[in-house]
């Protein structure tokens, strides 16, 4: 599905991520863990082409993401749920969702109506509130809207940037269940998450990013057995 080799990217003259290798197989959910400022969101921007990638290979199937503009990458089936949700507050829930379908892939026979039903099926609360302004939703509902908006483009690869940040446990479990449902439906997911328990539960593999490099990639099953799990970032950073 996605293959990254030797990806180096950053802002201005500064490289934030260096020599990054990552492969996602079809239908797999992989978590990227790591402390604040490690470069997790930068990695997602490098995949979606919203920052300059300085070197490396990024491919999705036969497609060379390095040569594509960010809107072409969306049209190719990659959707990002950005950190902080970034919904359009003055727009209604329905219009926020509709904007997510601007690049709805023509291949696959998807229609706008079918995407609305899919998203409303996943998050019935969005259906109930479709006429409400985005800005009047609760934090959890805004996160549902951000995920729903990304799903409107019928992506094959969903990138989630800390979707649970700042949310109450009840709504965290609701959104977790929705993501688990997407995974069961065969969607390929790259999940950036700081909470170890959530990441290990949703993903089959996880990578730990420290200072722009992936220091460890392993199955979540193996990671759970590590006795330094609670200090994973520190022990990996110390092992430099
Ligand atoms: N637009 C930008 N311009 C310049 N530097 C940036 C920009 N965005 C991020 N950085 C820097 O890049 C580094 C990595 O940031 P990034 O946002 O990718 O980290 P992160 O792992 O997502 O952190 P967090 O968990 O806090 O979201 C940080 O040092 C940050 O200051
Ligand atoms: Mg981030």
């Amino acid at each position: 599905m996605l293959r990254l080799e030797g990806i180096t990217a950053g802002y201005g003259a500064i490289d934030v991520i260096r020599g990054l290798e990552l492969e996602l197989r079809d239908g797999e959910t992989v978590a990227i863990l790591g402390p604040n400022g490690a470069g997790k969101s930068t990695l997602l921007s490098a995949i979606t082409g919203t920052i300059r990638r300085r070197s490396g290979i990024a491919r999705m199937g036969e497609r060379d993401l390095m040569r594509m503009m960010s809107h072409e990458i969306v049209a190719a089936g990659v959707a990002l749920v950005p950190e902080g949700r970034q919904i359009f507050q003055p727009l209604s829930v329905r219009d926020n969702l509709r904007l997510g379908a601007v690049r709805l892939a023509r291949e696959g026979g998807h229609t706008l109506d079918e995407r609305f039903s899919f998203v409303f099926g996943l998050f019935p609360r969005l259906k109930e509130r479709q006429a409400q302004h985005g800005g009047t939703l609760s934090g959890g509902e805004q996160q549902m809207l951000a995920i729903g908006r990304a799903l409107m483009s019928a992506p094959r690869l969903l990138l989630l940037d800390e979707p649970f940040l700042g949310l109450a446990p009840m709504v965290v479990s609701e959104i977790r269940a929705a993501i688990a449902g997407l995974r069961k439906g065969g969607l390929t997911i790259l999940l950036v998450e700081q909470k170890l328990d959530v990441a290990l539960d949703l993903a089959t593999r996880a990578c730990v990013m420290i200072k722009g490099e992936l220091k460890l990639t392993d199955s979540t099953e193996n990671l759970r057995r590590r006795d330094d799990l609670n200090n994973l970032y520190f022990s990996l950073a110390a092992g430099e």
Side-chain angles (χ1 to χ4, degrees):
M1 167 67 67
L2 178 75
R3 187 160 57 88
L4 305 179
E5 279 177 33
I7 292 286
T8 295
Y11 308 91
I14 297 162
D15 289 338
V16 172
I17 52 175
R18 288 174 303 273
L20 214 129
E21 315 277 327
L22 180 67
E23 194 167 350
L24 255 80
R25 292 183 286 270
D26 270 354
E28 195 178 25
T29 297
V30 173
I32 305 283
L33 301 161
N36 289 119
K40 305 181 297 297
S41 300
T42 303
L43 165 62
L44 299 186
S45 303
I47 296 172
T48 57
T50 46
I51 57 166
R52 275 262 312 279
R53 293 139 307 176
R54 251 185 280 283
S55 57
I57 297 170
R59 302 191 70 89
M60 199 166 99
E62 291 304 300
R63 292 188 165 100
D64 181 358
L65 300 184
M66 297 292 274
R67 292 173 177 274
M68 291 161 70
M69 309 278 285
S70 58
H71 67 268
E72 297 170 321
I73 294 175
V74 178
V78 181
L80 169 70
V81 180
E83 192 171 6
R85 294 147 207 159
Q86 296 178 23
I87 60 155
F88 301 101
Q89 308 229 350
L91 297 187
S92 68
V93 166
R94 197 174 175 87
D95 286 345
N96 266 280
L97 291 175
R98 197 192 302 268
L99 281 173
V102 167
R103 303 280 167 197
L104 181 58
R106 280 188 201 116
E107 51 195 277
H110 297 286
T111 64
L112 197 57
D113 281 347
E114 173 260 326
R115 295 322 294 160
F116 271 120
S117 330
F118 181 80
V119 169
F120 289 153
L122 190 68
F123 297 121
R125 278 212 245 172
L126 295 182
K127 185 175 188 181
E128 290 161 22
R129 288 161 206 275
Q130 55 182 302
Q132 204 170 313
H133 287 177
T136 61
L137 297 178
S138 72
E141 290 162 353
Q142 291 194 13
Q143 187 60 64
M144 292 174 193
L145 180 54
I147 296 172
R149 184 180 54 189
L151 293 171
M152 288 297 288
S153 65
R156 292 189 297 135
L157 171 63
L158 184 68
L159 311 175
L160 291 162
D161 198 347
E162 303 201 39
F164 306 110
L165 200 67
L167 301 183
M170 278 275 276
V171 73
V172 166
S173 46
E174 213 175 318
I175 293 174
R176 242 167 109 157
I179 295 172
L182 292 170
R183 190 191 60 190
K184 283 204 191 79
L187 188 63
T188 310
I189 301 173
L190 187 59
L191 168 72
V192 166
E193 184 51 55
Q194 292 213 34
K195 293 191 189 78
L196 268 170
D197 57 332
V198 175
L200 296 186
D201 183 50
L202 279 172
T204 45
R205 272 193 306 142
C207 314
V208 183
M209 187 184 273
I210 307 278
K211 292 188 190 154
E213 291 176 30
L214 292 184
K215 290 285 184 195
L216 173 73
T217 300
D218 207 347
S219 70
T220 47
E221 208 182 317
N222 284 345
L223 283 169
R224 265 197 217 100
R225 285 199 217 106
R226 286 178 72 113
D227 46 19
D228 61 349
L229 191 59
N230 292 326
N231 293 308
L232 199 55
Y233 303 164
F234 292 108
S235 56
L236 288 171
E240 276 177 47

